[in-house]
């Protein structure tokens, strides 16, 4: 999650005859508009100019042009999670990685998801700054990529957005209420959020499962931050 990114890419696939759009066809609704601070659809349309490209292999990439506020970015992640939990492949993987846990042992399930992420998902940065297409002004900017849970497993890695989408989807499929938390290293009146991670709720306590932190086992550890914003996944 780079604060200066101006594009967001989503990657999806054709599964069971239905397209799982990447960041995908975001559902426009009055309630979601109000929740995310949009006063009307025109305001959203001005900020989210969308283009979808479909590859020959069934994958789709959806590009949103323009600066996207943090609440809208979280909304895109929530939509990606909602699509992921309907994917048969993601459901199968979520069940398999936790099948050693005793019945109704959410702590074991959350730990199993965290361990699987650390063992199988590499942390990778988003697409580096590069010259954009002329229709985007030819500017040099980085690009954010939000992947579905199934794609992140297939690709074997992603950045903090992708790790969070993956972990949240795996937890939800296993019956755990999950959250997304974005953080900033410094207090500021401007939007300076730089990191996002997933948390699962166990017995009323929110347990972080940030698998992007380097250098050790950080299950249940809250990364340091100056300010944060949190939503249900």
């Amino acid at each position: 999650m780079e604060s200066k990114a101006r594009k967001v890419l989503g990657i999806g696939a054709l599964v069971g005859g239905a397209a799982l759009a990447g960041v995908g066809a975001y559902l426009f609704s009055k309630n979601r508009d109000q929740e995310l601070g949009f006063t009307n659809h025109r305001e959203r349309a001005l900020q989210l100019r969308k283009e979808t490209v479909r590859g020959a292999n069934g994958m789709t990439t959806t590009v949103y042009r323009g600066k996207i506020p943090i609440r809208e970015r979280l909304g895109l992640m929530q939509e990606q999670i909602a699509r992921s939990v309907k994917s048969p492949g993601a459901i199968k993987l979520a069940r398999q990685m936790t099948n050693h846990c005793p019945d109704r042992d959410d702590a074991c399930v959350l730990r199993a998801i965290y361990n699987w992420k650390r063992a199988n998902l590499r942390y990778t940065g988003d697409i580096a700054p590069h010259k954009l297409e002329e229709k985007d002004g030819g500017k040099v900017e980085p690009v954010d990529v939000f992947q579905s849970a199934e794609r992140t497993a297939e690709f074997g890695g992603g950045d903090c957005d992708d790790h969070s989408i993956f972990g949240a989807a795996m937890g939800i499929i296993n019956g755990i209420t999950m959250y997304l938390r974005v953080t900033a290293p410094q207090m500021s009146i401007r939007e300076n959020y730089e990191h996002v991670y997933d948390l699962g709720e166990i017995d009323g306590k929110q347990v972080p499962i940030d698998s992007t932190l380097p250098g050790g086992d950080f299950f249940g550890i809250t990364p340091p931050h100056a300010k944060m914003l949190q939503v249900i996944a």
Side-chain angles (χ1 to χ4, degrees):
M1 174 173 289
E2 296 292 339
S3 59
K4 294 183 179 179
R6 291 296 182 268
K7 274 190 179 181
V8 179
L9 297 180
I11 302 173
L14 291 178
V15 179
L20 289 178
V23 194
Y26 191 75
L27 299 180
F28 290 174
S29 71
K30 183 176 180 181
N31 289 340
R32 179 55 66 87
D33 279 350
Q34 293 174 345
E35 176 186 339
L36 298 177
F38 290 92
T39 58
N40 54 55
H41 293 319
R42 176 174 172 77
E43 181 181 353
R44 181 196 296 277
L46 288 173
Q47 293 193 6
L48 297 180
R49 299 183 301 278
K50 185 172 70 173
E51 174 189 0
T52 298
V53 180
R54 187 178 303 279
N57 58 1
M59 291 187 187
T60 60
T61 299
T62 303
V63 180
Y64 296 85
R65 295 185 176 81
K67 184 176 182 179
I68 301 180
I70 190 62
R71 288 185 178 275
E72 186 65 22
R73 290 159 65 86
L74 285 169
L76 293 171
M77 293 180 69
Q78 288 169 318
E79 188 65 24
Q80 186 71 310
I81 292 165
R83 293 176 181 276
S84 293
V85 301
K86 299 174 185 176
S87 163
I91 294 172
K92 178 180 179 180
L93 179 59
R95 299 283 192 250
Q96 289 177 335
M97 72 173 62
T98 60
N99 63 9
H100 63 282
C101 291
D103 293 351
R104 300 178 179 84
D105 189 340
D106 288 348
C108 176
V109 167
L110 206 59
R111 164 57 88 165
I113 294 169
Y114 175 79
N115 287 347
W116 197 97
K117 289 202 296 177
R118 287 193 66 217
N120 296 278
L121 301 182
R122 174 175 172 260
Y123 174 81
T124 63
D126 268 321
I127 298 175
H130 61 287
K131 182 175 170 51
L132 304 182
E133 298 176 79
E134 289 305 321
K135 62 183 176 182
D136 295 319
K139 297 175 290 187
V140 174
E141 291 181 353
V143 173
D144 275 351
V145 178
F146 294 164
Q147 298 164 185
S148 69
E150 197 167 359
R151 284 301 173 206
T152 294
E154 177 184 354
F155 297 160
D159 73 341
C160 57
D161 302 318
D162 306 317
H163 279 242
S164 299
I165 291 168
F166 180 87
M170 296 297 102
I172 291 169
I173 291 170
N174 278 286
I176 298 177
T177 300
M178 302 295 295
Y179 299 88
L180 299 173
R181 178 182 291 173
V182 289
T183 63
Q186 298 175 337
M187 293 297 297
S188 173
I189 59 173
R190 66 182 181 86
E191 197 170 274
N192 61 335
Y193 295 101
E194 295 183 357
H195 184 51
V196 61
Y197 59 92
D198 44 339
L199 307 91
E201 187 171 302
I202 300 178
D203 298 327
K205 180 181 179 181
Q206 294 174 7
V207 180
I209 55 169
D210 186 351
S211 51
T212 66
L213 299 174
D217 187 332
F218 293 98
F219 177 79
I221 302 299
T222 300
H225 59 269
K227 68 177 182 179
M228 71 171 199
L229 175 64
Q230 182 170 306
V231 296
I232 193 167

